[in-house]
Amino acid sequence: MATVTLTPYKTPELFLECTTITPDAFCGKAPQEIAELEVREGKTKLRMGDYFHVEGKAGKTPEETEIQILGDCTRVKYIGFKMTGGAITVNGNADMYVGGWMKGGKIHVTGNVHSFCGIAMEGGEILVDGKAENYVGCAYRGDWRGMRGGTIRIRGSAGNDIGTFMLGGTIIIEKNAFIHVSTHAEGGTIIIKGNVEGRVGGQMVKGDIYVLGEVQYMLPGFQKIEQVEKEVDGAKVKLDHYIGDLGERHPKSKGKEIYANLFVRAT
Amino acid sequence: MAEILVKNGYVIDPAQKIDGDVADVAIRDDKIVESVSSGARVIDARGKVVMAGALDVHAHVAGPKVNVGRLFRPEDKLFKSPEAQPNYRVEMGFSVPSTFKTGYDYARMGYAFVMEAAMPPLHSPHVHEEIHDTPIIDQAALPVFANNWFVLEYLKKGEIENSAAYVAWLIRATKGYGIKLVNPGGTEAWGWGLNCLKLDDPVPFFDVTPAEIITGLMKTNEYLGLPHSIHIHQNSLGDPGNYTVTLDSLKLAKGMKAKNKFGRTQVMHSTHLQFHSYGGDSWANFESKAKDVMNYVNQQKNITIDLGCVTLDETTTMTADGPFEHHLNALNHLKWANTDVELETAAGVVPYIYDKDIKVCGIQWAIGLELGLFTKDCMRTFITTDHPNAGPFFRYPRVIKWLMSQKAREATLETFKHRDKVIDATEIHGIDRELTLYEIAQMTRAGPAKALGLAGMYGSLAPGMDANVAVFNLDYKKMPSNPEKIEQAFQRALWFIKSGEIVVKDGEITSHGNKRTLWVNAKVKENPQVVRDIHEKFIKDYTVNLDNYPVRDYLAPNPFVIDVDVEA
């Protein structure tokens, strides 16, 4: 795997939109060509080279290309936008839309990410060592086709609206989350290892949620049916099994209605 | 004085019975003339097809429900909003495009006139503001009447004269163009959680039937002698087996005579007929009844229709047929927006995906095209997609391609997952008819112009007409064997001259043109009872004051008013 390093040397006055920081855009290009790729600050079109020193070598295909960002990207949006393969490592924080509409490959952010991390993701992996803000793995505004595949793991906490309209894939939040988890979801799995304040699984049709901490306020549309023991992300836990959202429509399979499942650590 | 000479093109102008003659079209200012001076700007159209500007009889392009579609579908704009270009404004959206994209895309296809198909009277100021914001194309709007409390009450008592006085007042107040009916009685019945799915289902409280509403408004229309006939979206839209209701309502036109000074011969325009030509009694045995419906349309000469072709796109349905949208939402579980417009109408909006891999969508696609292919009179059959309900309007070139090429139809059919089931439920596979350019010009130019009572202005290249001239990259003598070339040619006109101004060159917008809003001023003798009824209802039932109701002149700043003097 060939590695390209980007070293940020200038902080943009506004936020920088870098839909071109992807193995797909970099592959097959020399560092000078990569430096010519378009980035945007507001409505101004600029070059990648105006903000980053570009070094190293890109692979022939996205799969053979790794991008190392050696520095903070707190003001950089859209890292890994629509990427299909390869790897990106951000050594520091990143702003919004990390891995948005991503189809494959890996993104590792060692710091925190802002909102919309993994929005409408279809495949691949995102790992964030720090915390995430809102809308992890959610759908685009208005769209009913949310995250379809892939894995997002946030080692810290996350904000609200996690996995809205989720259809597939896995989201793991290792610490706490705020409100609105899997709203309108019709598939996929969300694991929250800490506590959630509430509104978990509102209008959820299908899919699974695991909360290994506490749900402070349960929604009335979920009904407890049994206690189970399950392995969740490598650990065995005793869980209360709820089904819901009983206020929402549910598809039928072999004459039986399919509900969404919410598992909360048994007390 | 600006003069243009479109030289040596293959002219296709059914209104003058010209089919592919090599001729020149001369333009002075905003009119077509016999000849121009030698100083005229010359556009070389040698080897290209020249037609008049086209007319769209039915599209939802302005007003509150269109805007609801824009507001509640941000994803319709995602990755589909290219940047602004030097000569024009940014264009946004796909199935519910921004006003600018609407104007530009119509102009690129050589369209001069577009009818907004359903204007809720109370919200007519909004409709006119959006029309004003849509560049280049001339527009008009049809206020909806068939669920209006005044109309229901007058028609229940059979008071055509009063109905006419009210209709004339409302068309004037809203700067509207004619009489639109949407699910007659059914939308009002929905206020009680009901619908009118048959012609004799009475409207609750008003106790009047859809058949009475249709007949009454048809008589009202001819009493007034409006340029357009009643324009009807029939009951039971989109239901399997609805073709019988369709035939029943078409039969109401039997024996009616068009009375007007605009050259219109039909008394009923039945719109988006594709949605009304369904057989079977469930989605499982759903089938095409296009042939039965067109057999009737072909023999009943006083009706016109438009197709409402399904284009197999992801789109946004929007209609004043509130109960239908609720029904649709229960089928596809996507978003649903809905509104009630006081005494007048209602509306709903639901996104919809016409998926080529779903059998029903494939059959719907076939039905729309079958209607066009079974027609015996292209002067009474017009191309639409009921934009955006069956597909976006900028797919007209694709519909034209399918109508003109069996090869293109078969190629699309081949891509269907349920090809064989679609073939079993339709007749599309066996039809070898391929429409000619002359027939397409009838369906998009001469025909709609006549049906709208606008044949004196649009739809022809005869001297005296408005100077709307489109040049397409097609060789009349050597039509391309690849049907895709037909679609490309109609998608982007080489030249489009609108009201004497070049607005499109090589498929790109060059000017914002001179847009106009057409509206009808029907002058009826003052009717004291109707005046009193209007005053009373506004005090008792409306949320707005009567003085604040009519559309102010500044909202339609480029009006073209068609006066109609009604002989009492």
Side-chain angles (χ1 to χ4, degrees), chain A residues 18-40:
Chain A
C18 295
T19 52
T20 45
I21 302 188
T22 62
D24 301 73
F26 281 20
C27 67
K29 290 195 176 72
Q32 306 88 287
E33 292 173 291
I34 293 170
E36 290 304 315
L37 288 172
E38 185 186 298
V39 298
R40 289 203 172 195

Side-chain angles (χ1 to χ4, degrees), chain A residues 40 45 81-82 101 140-145 249, chain B residues 73-75 78-79 83 314 333-335 351 353:
Chain A
R40 289 203 172 195
K45 293 178 191 177
F81 174 73
K82 290 187 176 175
W101 295 273
Y140 182 73
R141 282 280 156 84
D143 209 334
W144 58 91
R145 292 153 291 199
R249 77 189 157 88
Chain B
R73 290 209 64 195
E75 77 280 6
L78 182 65
F79 310 134
E83 290 166 42
E314 175 182 323
H333 309 302
L334 301 184
K335 300 179 269 192
I353 302 169

